[in-house]
Amino acid sequence: MGKFYIDGGKRLEGSLRVQGGKNAVLPILAATVLNGDISYIKDCPKILDVSTMINILKSIGCSVKWEGKTLIIDSSTVSSYEVPENLVREMRSSIIFLGSVLGKYKKVIISYPGGCPLGPRPIDLHLKALKQLGVKIKEEHGFIICEASKLTGAKIHLDFPSVGATENIMLAAVLAEGKTVIYNAAKEPEIKDLQDFLNGMGAKVSGASTDIITIEGVKSLHKVEHKVIPDRIVAGTYLIAAAITKGEVKLTNVEPNHIQAIISKLKEVGCKIHEEKNSVYLKAPKNLKSVDIVRTQPYPGFPTDMQAQMMSLLTMTKGTSIITETVFESRYKHVEELMRMGADITLEGRTAIIKGGLDLTGTTVYAKDLRGGAALIIAGLVAKGTTIVEGAKHIERGYERIDKDLNLLGASIRKEN
Ligand code: EPZ
């Protein structure tokens, strides 16, 4: 699985370019099935989740190749609507193939998804919405079998602004007959990036970034070229890494508008932040201040994908802070690992109470999911001695080169397979 060794006590400073967005590119990769043609995806991050998506695309008949940071997919040779079970189990977000394979072939067979252990991650909202588009759904032996004689546009209201459900509906609706409107749609920037990609191949989608998205079905789609938006969670992770080491960094390839909730909390901690068009500069204070409450919410609220990293930072602030995780049922697997490093954290249901100001001590800790793993690396940056983070693969699902990146800023991290 691989492990990271982090020697604590190094102050981060310098400039770094942020990778393309994982949660933007994954639905875009699934969408390449729709045009039965070539898709050029620029600034595609080379992360494990992308490798898994490439394997799925190849398994259904696409040809895929890298040219530098551009991924080129040809979906004119797709020959199957069965998404391989072993790959779906590897990564929950592969459920996004439900919408694109269905949208193109009106049939798909896929197994229930695996992925991060963030509590039960049902897909009831996805399936309920697809039924409204005319899809017949059977569930047999852990597989979902979807079929539609035709896909017809519908008015769909989501009980929760689910990112994946919003994306699956968009993908299933672009070639449907008539108009689909999604109410209470997710507003994450990644949804807007998917809209731009789909429109780039000739779809007619509008409203992304608001809670009402309209898709006018079209007859066919064509080749497309698209640059993926920056990864706002990687940007947030690196800003917190700089803050916890009382450092000073400039990140480029950042959309400041996508990380306002993170910037706001970092200012509460006492950081000075300067934004430019595509970059952000942070200078940490001598003493990090605690934050009354951090409540995770759907965008544009504080992102649940930054909750673990924020918790690591708050263990080093003077005073008591509270975090409430409102999006996922159980996203606190990093708490017991931080406590092994000496943090004082009390869990009460979805709320964590962090008593900051104690020193952290390096020891062996275990990454159990992607962002929890990143939080442990962040804690290791300031822990006394060396921290060993087992489970590197979880972290490499979403971070292209977190060790090399942080070492460029002055950290001392090495990877052992
Ligand atoms: C996306 O997951 C992201 N993944 C997650 O990032 C992110 O945490 C999440 O959105 C929320 O922002 C990708 O984009 C690949 P949801 P997704 O559907 O689509 C419940 C990371 O670290 N729900 O918005 O799975 C669900 O159980 C990952 O990069 C239902 O109940 O998230 C969860 O509690 C982790 N029924 C909540 O909604 C459904 O049918 C949010 O889920 C669907 C979701």
Side-chain angles (χ1 to χ4, degrees), residues 20-196:
K22 163 179 106 65
N23 292 346
V25 81
L26 297 182
I28 283 173
L29 288 172
T32 61
V33 165
L34 287 164
N35 66 358
D37 204 329
I38 310 260
S39 299
Y40 297 87
I41 299 169
K42 299 158 87 170
D43 206 14
C44 183
K46 296 189 177 184
I47 52 178
L48 291 186
D49 275 6
V50 166
S51 309
T52 304
M53 294 293 272
I54 289 172
N55 291 337
I56 294 175
L57 286 167
K58 286 179 176 172
S59 74
I60 61 173
C62 294
S63 61
V64 185
K65 68 178 177 176
W66 284 101
E67 265 180 21
K69 282 179 177 277
T70 299
L71 196 59
I72 304 167
I73 294 113
D74 179 353
S75 63
S76 61
T77 49
V78 172
S79 54
S80 163
Y81 44 72
E82 281 199 52
V83 184
E85 181 187 0
N86 61 315
L87 295 172
V88 174
R89 288 192 173 288
E90 220 170 280
M91 180 184 70
R92 169 183 163 83
S93 26
S94 46
I95 196 65
I96 199 65
F97 275 102
L98 195 60
S100 66
V101 176
L102 195 56
K104 177 73 177 171
Y105 299 103
K106 300 190 182 32
K107 178 154 186 172
V108 64
I109 298 175
I110 190 167
S111 75
Y112 262 90
C116 279
L118 306 180
R121 296 181 71 188
I123 52 170
D124 54 318
L125 300 179
H126 300 240
L127 301 180
K128 185 176 153 194
L130 294 177
K131 282 178 188 158
Q132 289 186 254
L133 296 176
V135 181
K136 300 273 174 289
I137 297 173
K138 278 189 296 183
E139 295 165 45
E140 279 169 12
H141 318 301
F143 283 85
I144 309 162
I145 300 148
C146 299
E147 199 153 3
S149 49
K150 70 173 176 164
L151 291 167
T152 312
K155 278 189 169 185
I156 298 169
H157 177 275
L158 288 174
D159 294 342
F160 176 86
S162 154
V163 171
T166 302
E167 292 164 346
N168 259 330
I169 298 164
M170 290 164 74
L171 296 173
V174 288
L175 290 170
E177 284 183 25
K179 179 163 83 167
T180 297
V181 184
I182 308 170
Y183 295 93
N184 197 25
K187 294 182 279 206
E188 276 69 3
E190 292 75 26
I191 306 280
K192 173 71 169 58
D193 210 31
L194 179 61
Q195 170 177 289
D196 293 343

Side-chain angles (χ1 to χ4, degrees), residues 335-377:
V335 170
E336 58 185 339
E337 302 305 310
L338 288 170
M339 290 170 74
R340 286 159 48 79
M341 296 175 72
D344 180 345
I345 303 167
T346 309
L347 274 186
E348 300 203 352
R350 288 186 177 225
T351 296
I353 299 147
I354 301 105
K355 287 202 178 68
L358 304 175
D359 284 342
L360 297 180
T361 308
T363 181
T364 299
V365 287
Y366 296 83
K368 292 167 187 158
D369 58 60
L370 164 57
R371 307 302 175 182
L376 296 175
I377 289 181

